[in-house]
Structures are given as structure tokens and as C-alpha cells.
Amino acid sequence: MVNPLIRKLENFTRLSGQDKHLLSEFLHEGIRHLGPREDIIREGERPQSVNLVLSGWACRYKYLEDGRRQIIAFLVPGDLCDNNFFLLRQMDHSIGALTPISIAQIPRHRIEEVSLHHPRVAQALSWEALTSMAIQREWTVSLGQRDAQERLAHLLCELYLRLRAVGLTDGTSCELPLRQAELADALGLSTVHVNRTLQELRASQLIMLKGKTLTIPDLNALRSVAQFTPTYLHLEHEGRHLDANE
Amino acid sequence: MVNPLIRKLENFTRLSGQDKHLLSEFLHEGIRHLGPREDIIREGERPQSVNLVLSGWACRYKYLEDGRRQIIAFLVPGDLCDNNFFLLRQMDHSIGALTPISIAQIPRHRIEEVSLHHPRVAQALSWEALTSMAIQREWTVSLGQRDAQERLAHLLCELYLRLRAVGLTDGTSCELPLRQAELADALGLSTVHVNRTLQELRASQLIMLKGKTLTIPDLNALRSVAQFTPTYLHLEHEGRHLDANE
DNA sequence: CGCCCTGTTGAGTTTTATCAATATTGGTGG
DNA sequence: CCACCAATATTGATAAAACTCAACAGGGCG
């Protein structure tokens, strides 16, 4: 299996063969396979390593005391679950699998070794962390300002582009292995309302959704409904000045 | 002026005299003073240094094309505005002053020097970044799941504790130099609704608010209204194993 | 004194949630 | 291949939360 982290980081900067070798060694310490609704790590636990999603989808989530749940982030292949979290004494949220998933556990010392001795890779990993923060900020904007239709359209644009960045789209289509209840928990809406909003988007020909496959026939149309601007994903090879020259 | 960043980082780990000296040198390159509604850095600009809030309040914010605004984060003394952002080609949001504010511009090379040669300080700065991410995640939870009263109560708890962590509370009181319109933009509510919700909290004796001074007579009561759990602020000296032993 | 900014109030509307029932789907064993 | 089951999706009706608009009040400051 190709390491999707490499693919993802190459949206930032070109990596040398040695860099890639280093990153592919991340996979050698142990790969876990989990089924849907199994937790990768749970609130309160102390993280000891860094988890990298190799295949499948996961999410960060948090329950309130009274049972309401918010999905805080979706994690797709190439995403690091918890870079640097080992500095904290305990997780303040949980991460759970949404589909069958395989994840690599990267030992802390490997990360630290990279940041000490391989500045280009370290910067690429920092870029990864910065973009995941940017995504979190954009979710704040969506939840605070966008209405149901904009919010849903925005999320679908984001997921499509993130999947495209790791080669997981097929033309105008990608997988969307989420139940409506999960979309609802991520968007801060009820499942009923998500259902109706999806129907609106379908009726306007903005999306097609059969089974677990999402098709966006006209990305610009969907972007404009969502007021989606892709800048925050920082996918435009922003670290090109660091490119490996081999 | 004492460097509030030092005070903040000491919630994580104890710093040596040398560490503190290093951090206080952050202030020597240039301090900017801005008035309310002036921007510290604007969306689209390329960040070249790291800004540290010394006094006053600021916020991250983002406008949608149609003029709606979301405040993404509040920044109080001791907060770093944009650690590592110089890796990105452009800011995906703006940062603006809310009150008269003074900020230190820390040159990129100082940050990089620290992360290379001073691991304890570097880890403390990583902790700072991790907690600001955790705060962002908690805002996602608030905006997605909490209703107006819970959301407002939660924000007030958070701000009170963050100010206390840098010594800016006075018993059960702290400053809250925000207009209702700004609270509204942060909470994803209308100003009218913020106004009414504030009145509810006042009527229940959960808060007192005169002028720019907030008093929380019974923090536990307010916490329980908000379903606020302070874990995500990671203020409990979590890096004590790294303590300087002098 | 008067002005502007901020806060407050009331009335009516829109968006979204809730509840409960029904339909559809995908997977499983016979 | 079919019948069945559970999980998921869909629908309708009603209620709650929050928004909008518009007017008015209060306070600080030149």
C-alpha cells in the first residue's frame, strides 16, 4: 500500500527519496485494523504514539454530559490523528472509526527524530498540522454563520477536495461513507433536517448520491452555494521553495 | 512589563531562568500598539513573524462574501497569534484588535532557534499550540450542540479561566471588554439574542456585568449551566515531568 | 447640550428541532 | 433466490429556538 501521508505532504512540497523512505518507515511499527464504531483512542487516555489513517474514515468526536454528540473533524487517509498530542496528559476528545479502517501507529520517537534531523519533513508535518487547524477554524465559521444548505454544501466541497488531494476521487465522484446521522452530528443539525437538506441539493442537481458514492457534477456551482473558498486547505504547493531538487 | 507568555507557559511546565530569559528576548525586536478595530494581520497576507499579545484583546475573524462575520477565536495576553504560520503562503483569516493592544513581533528565526536548541521551551510552545487547537475544537462543540444560554455561559467560563491562567482575574471578576455584537459574532447568534441571553444569565444570578467587568459569583453554577469541563484547557501543569529543577 | 454608539424592547417571521410513523435498503441465513 | 431483519432514510405535523426589523433608551464624550 502506498503511504497516503506522502501523497498528502506532496501537496505542500516535493520530497526527496530519502524523505519518502523516512515517511514510509512510519508504517513499520504496527498497523491496526478496526471496524466501524470502534474507538482508536478515547477521551481521558494518554496518547503515546501518533496515529496515521491509511485507509477508511474516522472522526474526532465529543459527547456532552447529556448525550449530545458533536463530530469535531473527519479523518481520511493521509490524516494524522494526533500529532504531538503525547505532550498532553490526556485526550480531551475521542477518535473513532466510521468505516473499517487501518491505521499506522507511529512511535513518538520517530516523530521526534524527524523533527530533529529532517527539517523539510518536519516542516511538511507542521504544514499538515496547520491545515488541520485551518479546517477546524473553517468548521467554526460554518457552524456559526452558514445555514443548513450552505453548511452541508461546504462540507461536501471540503471532503471532495481533501480526498482529491490524496488521489481518492474518480472524476467528479468520491466515496462518502457517512450515514445521515453522522453528517447531522458534524453539522450541528438534526438527522431529519440533514435528510431534507440533502434532498434540496439533489433536487437542484448540485449533488448526486447513490449508495456511498457522492458525485458533484459542477463543483463551482456547489462552491458558490456554500460560499466555499478553498484557500484554507493550503493545497497549492505552498512549500515549493523547500522542494527537494532531485 | 512581565511577559505574559512566560506566565502562561508555566501552567504547563516550570521554566529555568535561562528559558525565561530566552522568552523575554522575544519582546526585544519591536512592539506594536494598535487601537480597536485595527488589524494585526489580514487575510491574504503572508505572515513573516509571530505575534504575541502582551496586553489587550484581539480576535481571529473571517468574513463570508456576503458580509456575515464569524469570530473564530479570542486572543488575550499571553496568546501567540500565529505560531508557525510563516510556513503558509497566505493567511486564511484576519486578526484584529478589539481593544487598545500591544503585541510583540517575534521574528521567525527566534522561534526556529528555540525549537532547535531549547527543547523544553519548544515543548512548551507546542503545548500552547495544542491548547489553542483544543479551544478551537471546543468552540466547534459549542456551536454545533449548545443552545444560546449554554454557549454564552461556556464562553464566559472559558475566558475567565484563560485570564486566570495569566493572572488577569481579580477574585471572581475579570475584564470582558467585548460589545454584545462581538459576542454575537463569536457565538453565531444575533445581537438581539445575545442581549436577551445575557439578561437570563443575570436574572439567574449566574453572572454580573457592569461596564466591562464580568463577575461570576459561583463558577460551578455557571459551569453546570454550560456543561463546561475545563480539561480541554490543559492547564493542570501537564508537563511537570519536564520541569526545570533549579 | 447633543450626538453617536451600544444596549434594550416588542412584534412577527423563519429556520430548525422534535416526535412519530412509514418506507427503503443492504445484508443474512435458509 | 427469497424472506426477513435491522439499520437507515423519508415523510408529515407541530413546537421551539433564534432571527429580523424597527423603535427607543442610556451613557459617555467632544
Side-chain angles (χ1 to χ4, degrees):
Chain A
M1 176 193 300
V2 175
N3 182 337
L5 178 60
I6 294 176
R7 178 96 190 230
K8 183 175 174 186
L9 296 184
E10 291 211 300
N11 286 285
F12 173 65
T13 195
R14 203 157 292 141
L15 300 168
S16 71
Q18 196 207 3
D19 293 340
K20 291 186 204 177
H21 178 71
L22 206 69
L23 287 164
S24 57
E25 282 188 338
F26 279 0
L27 308 192
H28 291 172
E29 311 277 337
I31 294 185
R32 281 204 289 166
H33 298 272
L34 297 175
R37 314 201 189 202
E38 286 188 84
D39 280 326
I40 295 169
I41 188 166
R42 208 167 276 146
E43 186 170 346
E45 287 178 23
R46 169 156 211 153
Q48 300 291 356
S49 53
V50 175
N51 291 302
L52 163 63
V53 179
L54 298 174
S55 69
W57 286 43
C59 68
R60 299 181 195 285
Y61 67 90
K62 196 162 181 174
Y63 279 99
L64 300 191
E65 294 158 23
D66 63 4
R68 283 174 281 174
R69 177 174 84 144
Q70 177 67 31
I71 290 180
I72 296 164
F74 288 117
L75 300 168
V76 301
D79 285 339
L80 287 171
C81 293
D82 31 29
N83 200 357
N84 267 334
F85 279 17
F86 44 71
L87 289 176
L88 301 176
R89 194 167 44 198
Q90 55 174 312
M91 290 293 290
D92 53 49
H93 64 280
S94 303
I95 305 180
L98 294 167
T99 68
I101 192 173
S102 56
I103 54 182
Q105 286 190 279
I106 308 167
R108 173 176 181 166
H109 68 82
R110 278 208 187 276
I111 299 280
E112 288 173 329
E113 182 197 322
V114 162
S115 67
L116 234 50
H117 302 300
H118 303 274
R120 181 170 43 235
V121 179
Q123 291 195 310
L125 292 177
S126 289
W127 167 81
E128 207 275 341
L130 288 170
T131 58
S132 83
M133 268 202 85
I135 290 168
Q136 201 67 58
R137 285 192 298 266
E138 195 64 33
W139 280 42
T140 304
V141 175
S142 272
L143 289 167
Q145 300 301 323
R146 291 188 243 259
D147 68 23
Q149 193 177 84
E150 296 167 328
R151 226 182 276 179
L152 181 51
H154 195 281
L155 177 62
L156 296 178
C157 287
E158 176 188 302
L159 290 172
Y160 173 81
L161 290 181
R162 285 171 60 192
L163 290 170
R164 199 173 69 178
V166 286
L168 291 176
T169 51
D170 177 12
T172 57
S173 298
C174 64
E175 270 199 64
L176 188 78
L178 301 175
R179 281 163 281 160
Q180 294 183 357
E182 287 154 351
L183 284 171
D185 283 349
L187 296 169
L189 299 168
S190 67
T191 57
V192 173
H193 203 55
V194 165
N195 182 287
R196 291 183 169 129
T197 308
L198 277 171
Q199 290 180 50
E200 284 173 38
L201 292 180
R202 280 193 283 229
S204 321
Q205 310 287 322
L206 288 164
I207 63 168
M208 285 172 295
L209 198 50
K210 52 178 176 215
K212 302 274 172 233
T213 302
L214 167 71
T215 304
I216 303 174
D218 179 351
L219 186 58
N220 280 329
L222 192 63
R223 277 174 48 177
S224 111
V225 164
Q227 300 200 44
F228 180 93
T229 314
T231 326
Y232 74 98
L233 294 171
H234 299 283
L235 288 172
E236 300 300 323
H237 202 58
E238 296 195 358
R240 63 176 69 102
H241 55 291
L242 304 168
D243 279 3
N245 54 6
E246 57 159 47
Chain B
M1 177 193 300
V2 175
N3 182 337
L5 178 59
I6 294 176
R7 177 96 189 229
K8 182 174 175 186
L9 296 183
E10 292 210 300
N11 286 285
F12 172 66
T13 195
R14 202 158 294 142
L15 300 168
S16 71
Q18 195 205 5
D19 295 339
K20 291 185 204 178
H21 178 70
L22 206 69
L23 288 164
S24 58
E25 282 188 337
F26 280 0
L27 309 191
H28 290 171
E29 309 278 338
I31 294 185
R32 280 204 289 166
H33 298 272
L34 297 175
R37 312 200 191 201
E38 286 189 84
D39 280 326
I40 295 169
I41 188 165
R42 206 167 278 146
E43 186 170 345
E45 288 178 23
R46 170 158 211 151
Q48 300 292 356
S49 53
V50 175
N51 291 301
L52 164 63
V53 180
L54 297 175
S55 69
W57 286 43
C59 69
R60 299 180 195 285
Y61 67 90
K62 197 163 182 174
Y63 279 98
L64 300 190
E65 295 158 21
D66 64 3
R68 281 174 281 175
R69 177 173 85 144
Q70 177 66 33
I71 290 181
I72 297 165
F74 288 116
L75 300 168
V76 300
D79 285 340
L80 287 170
C81 294
D82 30 28
N83 200 357
N84 267 334
F85 280 16
F86 45 69
L87 290 177
L88 301 176
R89 194 166 43 197
Q90 53 174 314
M91 290 292 290
D92 53 49
H93 65 278
S94 303
I95 305 180
L98 294 167
T99 68
I101 192 172
S102 56
I103 55 182
Q105 286 191 280
I106 307 168
R108 172 176 181 167
H109 68 82
R110 280 208 187 276
I111 299 280
E112 288 174 329
E113 182 197 321
V114 162
S115 65
L116 235 50
H117 302 301
H118 303 274
R120 180 170 45 235
V121 178
Q123 292 194 311
L125 292 176
S126 289
W127 166 82
E128 205 277 340
L130 288 170
T131 57
S132 83
M133 270 204 83
I135 290 168
Q136 201 67 58
R137 285 192 298 266
E138 196 63 34
W139 280 42
T140 304
V141 175
S142 272
L143 289 167
Q145 299 301 324
R146 290 189 244 258
D147 69 21
Q149 193 177 84
E150 297 166 329
R151 226 182 275 178
L152 180 51
H154 196 280
L155 177 62
L156 297 178
C157 287
E158 176 187 302
L159 290 172
Y160 174 80
L161 290 180
R162 285 171 59 192
L163 291 170
R164 199 173 67 179
V166 287
L168 291 175
T169 51
D170 177 13
T172 57
S173 298
C174 64
E175 270 200 63
L176 188 78
L178 301 174
R179 279 162 284 168
Q180 293 183 358
E182 287 155 350
L183 284 171
D185 283 348
L187 296 169
L189 300 168
S190 67
T191 56
V192 171
H193 203 53
V194 165
N195 182 286
R196 291 183 169 131
T197 308
L198 277 171
Q199 289 179 51
E200 283 174 38
L201 292 181
R202 281 193 282 229
S204 321
Q205 310 288 321
L206 289 164
I207 63 169
M208 285 172 293
L209 198 51
K210 54 179 174 210
K212 302 274 174 233
T213 301
L214 167 70
T215 304
I216 302 175
D218 180 352
L219 186 58
N220 280 328
L222 192 63
R223 278 173 48 178
S224 113
V225 164
Q227 299 199 43
F228 180 93
T229 314
T231 326
Y232 74 98
L233 295 171
H234 298 284
L235 289 172
E236 299 301 324
H237 202 58
E238 297 196 358
R240 62 175 69 103
H241 55 291
L242 304 167
D243 278 3
N245 54 6
E246 55 160 45

